[in-house]
Amino acid sequence: MNPSFPVPSTKWKIGWGVTDQCNMGCRFCYSSRVRRNGQTLPLEILKAFIDRNNRFIESINYGTGENTLSAIWYELLLYIQRIYGIPQALTTNGSLAPLVEGNPDRETILASLAEVDVSLDFADPQKHCALRRHEKAYQWALDTIKLCRERGIQTTIVVLGIDETLAIDNLRG
């Protein structure tokens, strides 16, 4: 560690987007042009950041892209869990459940997640799928919630805050 670098008085809560890949075409997406490029940060850079700073990190939440689409994300998740045990969370559009199905590291991946936040904007499947522009968006979200609850992973629902989604009837649903 650089002696001139001050030691933080509180630990960091990292919000990280390992990849800008996404498998949906949400109507509200602010970065849809970037998402088409599908760039992923190099694993060596991500590991080097963790190796240098792990003692300052309280937790990590992966968002800002659909990280479950990146093989590097799985490697990083397992590396951090195995070496440092830093609590990790994922914000997902629901792709976690279908993408870990059949993965030989499935149970280890799930055990590495302290929390999963699932985007579910509408109680109505057709409205949710239309907003996300993906025919399986609603079912994948439900499947991911179910999978996480079965494994005892803290699970929350993330809702896009617009008039339609924040309507009381939708929230009750």
Side-chain angles (χ1 to χ4, degrees):
M1 185 167 122
N2 182 341
S4 64
F5 184 76
V7 175
S9 59
T10 59
K11 289 197 168 195
W12 305 331
K13 295 181 182 186
I14 305 289
W16 229 353
V18 171
T19 184
D20 62 12
Q21 296 177 52
C22 190
N23 54 354
M24 296 191 185
C26 301
R27 290 189 333 224
F28 57 84
C29 185
Y30 57 87
S31 60
S32 58
R33 284 189 296 152
V34 172
R35 304 250 181 255
R36 282 185 230 130
N37 296 330
Q39 295 182 359
T40 300
L41 293 171
L43 183 60
E44 307 78 48
I45 290 173
L46 297 165
K47 282 183 173 180
F49 177 84
I50 294 296
D51 292 341
R52 268 192 324 272
N53 297 294
N54 64 82
R55 65 187 170 278
F56 308 126
I57 301 171
E58 182 178 321
S59 62
I60 302 169
N61 180 286
Y62 301 97
T64 312
E66 186 53 43
N67 289 279
T68 60
L69 296 172
S70 170
I72 286 173
W73 176 74
Y74 294 101
E75 289 182 54
L76 181 66
L77 178 80
L78 298 176
Y79 174 78
I80 292 170
Q81 179 61 30
R82 191 174 52 250
I83 305 298
Y84 300 109
I86 297 169
Q88 299 175 86
L90 171 68
T91 300
T92 178
N93 62 23
S95 294
L96 177 65
L99 291 174
V100 297
E101 189 64 37
N103 187 315
D105 294 320
R106 179 178 192 245
E107 295 307 317
T108 309
I109 289 165
L110 295 172
S112 299
L113 291 168
E115 180 180 350
V116 174
D117 304 319
V118 181
S119 296
L120 184 59
D121 305 303
F122 286 101
D124 177 88
Q126 289 76 26
K127 285 183 178 182
H128 181 73
C129 291
L131 182 70
R132 297 277 166 174
R133 292 187 184 149
H134 195 286
E135 65 183 12
K136 296 184 179 181
Y138 187 82
Q139 190 58 53
W140 285 357
L142 294 184
D143 292 346
T144 295
I145 291 166
K146 180 181 179 202
L147 174 66
C148 292
R149 286 182 176 171
E150 288 172 353
R151 296 300 189 286
I153 301 169
Q154 181 179 339
T155 309
T156 59
I157 295 174
V158 179
V159 177
L160 172 69
I162 59 176
D163 289 343
E164 281 184 277
T165 60
L166 296 177
I168 295 299
D169 287 344
N170 185 56
L171 294 175
R172 284 187 183 127

